[in-house]
Amino acid sequence: MKQMKTWMLVAILTLSGLTTLSSCGHDDDTVTPNSQKPIVIRCIKPDYLKAGDKVALISPSYYTPMENVEKTADVLRKWGLEPIIGPNVGKVVDGKYAGTVDERISDIRWALNEPTVKAIICNRGGYGTIQLIDKLTLEELKATPKWLVGFSDISTLHGLLSRAGVMSIHGTMSSFLAKGGSDATSTLMRDLLLGNVPRYELPAHKENITGRASGVLVGGNICTFAPNLGSQADATKGQDLILFVEEVEESMHNIDRQMRILQMNGVLDRCKGIILGEFTDCGSEFTFESVEAMLHVMLEKYNIPVLCGFPGGHGDVNLPLVMGAPVTIDVRNDGATLQFDIDGNQQEVRTANITAPETPAAARMQLAGKIE
């Protein structure tokens, strides 16, 4: 009996030792509770549009007055495109939403599955796309690749499309196009849809961190995409990222909070570079001169290029970006370059030469759904 107990003790200690050894592993195999195993994001580019192509107008988030939708349709006609308004556009649920969850998803599926529709423009942001994440499948999103255009709350759909393997456009929506569609924000988005790809030249920014990097462009409105971590809309789970971040009407401390959530989940470790867009009407409760100055302190330890001041988001100018596309950023002391490494007619765009439209930013933010 004593000998049996001795052998049992040896066996237990041996198994315990094996368990300890297997749990240690190599550093490369260690997965902490807050880390995510990175994935490879490779997106195909939808076909560019041509004259006469049909473009669907849908409202996946908050509702848009039909007057704005009709004005946007007129702009698309002037561009030589044919607008088609989604079946549920114009509905209002609970005072804000552009229809029920099922109705908003139905319009997305209609636009994807209608063979004559070649691109999709969202009417407005606001809130609501997080409600759609588990209702859509990546398979149906990639089955018929089409350009989808939008920003703000539409960042969720950009994440879903990037995970599905389809590029999309972070750009202006019907709520702004209704103002006439002749400003640079609108015409550059139109040109991109037609195959004229911008190569942005930006002026120097005091909070830039110099360097050159290439990667897949993901991100958008940080308070929209950060809560999607771990979901199928989480494009930040990819590796070799160029992360784009913009925000509006948020405090510095909440922007810091969202960035630290990304940091704790290993997102910043997977970034090859970062693009900071507009931080419109954001609070300044700290002594930092700007949001960019605050984020500079956080990001400088990563030794990656940081391009500040890209005119994208809720500011007076919202230039289009191709999400899910391979991009290269070159940040120098005298300025910076952002290039999309995709086919198309490359055209140089000097952002310093672009003037703001007459529409006040506050009015556009109200239409986009970020403020009342």
Side-chain angles (χ1 to χ4, degrees):
M1 181 66 69
K2 182 177 181 180
Q3 185 177 15
M4 184 179 293
K5 289 181 177 179
T6 301
W7 279 109
M8 288 178 65
L9 179 60
V10 171
I12 292 171
L13 290 173
T14 301
L15 288 172
S16 176
L18 289 173
T19 303
T20 302
L21 286 172
S22 64
S23 65
C24 290
H26 295 291
D27 289 342
D28 292 342
D29 298 328
T30 302
V31 179
T32 64
N34 290 325
S35 69
Q36 303 180 65
K37 185 177 180 181
I39 61 174
V40 176
I41 294 179
R42 288 196 186 91
C43 296
I44 63 172
K45 180 186 65 58
D47 292 336
Y48 293 123
L49 304 188
K50 60 184 184 300
D53 277 346
K54 294 182 179 179
V55 178
L57 298 174
I58 65 171
S59 299
S61 301
Y62 280 174
Y63 81 95
T64 307
M66 283 304 297
E67 179 184 4
N68 289 339
V69 179
E70 294 292 352
K71 287 181 178 179
T72 299
D74 289 339
V75 169
L76 293 177
R77 292 187 189 100
K78 291 177 183 177
W79 289 353
L81 302 170
E82 183 179 342
I84 305 180
I85 299 172
N88 291 296
V89 171
K91 292 185 177 180
V92 184
V93 172
D94 298 329
K96 289 285 188 180
Y97 297 119
T100 64
V101 169
D102 287 341
E103 286 170 338
R104 285 178 279 143
I105 288 176
S106 175
D107 275 9
I108 293 175
R109 289 195 171 115
W110 161 77
L112 288 172
N113 295 327
E114 170 54 53
T116 62
V117 168
K118 303 303 179 183
I120 305 165
I121 296 179
C122 299
N123 291 318
R124 185 180 177 182
Y127 176 76
T129 55
I130 195 171
Q131 301 166 341
L132 315 181
I133 291 176
D134 294 333
K135 305 291 185 179
L136 295 165
T137 67
L138 300 184
E139 288 71 22
E140 65 183 315
L141 290 171
K142 69 182 179 182
T144 53
K146 301 176 182 183
W147 289 112
L148 179 136
V149 183
F151 72 107
S152 194
D153 192 58
I154 308 305
S155 298
T156 296
L157 299 184
H158 291 312
L160 276 167
L161 285 163
S162 293
R163 287 294 302 272
V166 180
M167 296 180 197
S168 56
I169 298 176
H170 182 281
T172 194
M173 297 181 284
S174 294
S175 51
F176 184 61
L177 291 170
K179 297 299 179 179
S182 60
D183 58 282
T185 290
S186 302
T187 56
L188 283 172
M189 187 271 284
R190 174 203 64 193
D191 292 348
L192 178 54
L193 284 171
L194 296 173
N196 298 303
V197 181
R199 181 182 181 275
Y200 293 117
E201 294 283 347
L202 297 102
H205 193 288
K206 64 186 297 185
E207 301 301 342
N208 276 353
I209 298 177
T210 59
R212 181 182 174 89
S214 296
V216 178
L217 185 63
V218 301
N221 181 261
I222 191 169
C223 286
T224 297
F225 75 79
N228 296 337
L229 289 179
S231 74
Q232 67 170 351
D234 180 14
T236 67
K237 193 175 180 180
Q239 57 189 354
D240 297 335
L241 304 175
I242 301 294
L243 181 68
F244 170 66
V245 177
E246 65 89 17
E247 195 44 83
V248 59
E249 289 277 301
E250 290 291 345
S251 63
M252 276 189 173
H253 75 258
N254 197 34
I255 294 172
D256 180 84
R257 176 188 290 120
Q258 303 303 322
M259 288 295 289
R260 292 189 186 277
I261 289 172
L262 299 181
Q263 185 180 56
M264 289 184 289
N265 281 273
V267 175
L268 301 185
D269 292 319
R270 297 194 291 275
C271 289
K272 296 295 185 180
I274 292 178
I275 301 170
L276 299 181
E278 299 287 343
F279 294 93
T280 308
D281 294 334
C282 290
S284 56
E285 68 266 40
F286 303 125
T287 57
F288 294 108
E289 183 179 347
S290 63
V291 173
E292 291 89 345
M294 176 183 72
L295 296 180
H296 181 111
V297 175
M298 174 188 291
L299 298 173
E300 60 184 347
K301 70 178 181 180
Y302 288 93
N303 296 315
I304 58 175
V306 177
L307 191 164
C308 297
F310 181 83
H314 292 78
D316 287 319
V317 177
N318 181 19
L319 302 185
L321 295 166
V322 185
M323 310 308 290
V327 300
T328 298
I329 60 172
D330 185 12
V331 186
R332 310 173 306 276
N333 290 324
D334 64 343
T337 302
L338 167 58
Q339 175 179 309
F340 300 96
D341 300 320
I342 58 178
D343 67 343
N345 301 316
Q346 296 284 329
Q347 61 175 1
E348 182 179 288
V349 176
R350 293 188 175 273
T351 63
N353 296 336
I354 295 176
T355 57
E358 295 180 0
T359 305
R364 185 172 64 263
M365 286 188 288
Q366 183 176 17
L367 291 169
K370 289 296 291 188
I371 62 175
E372 302 306 321

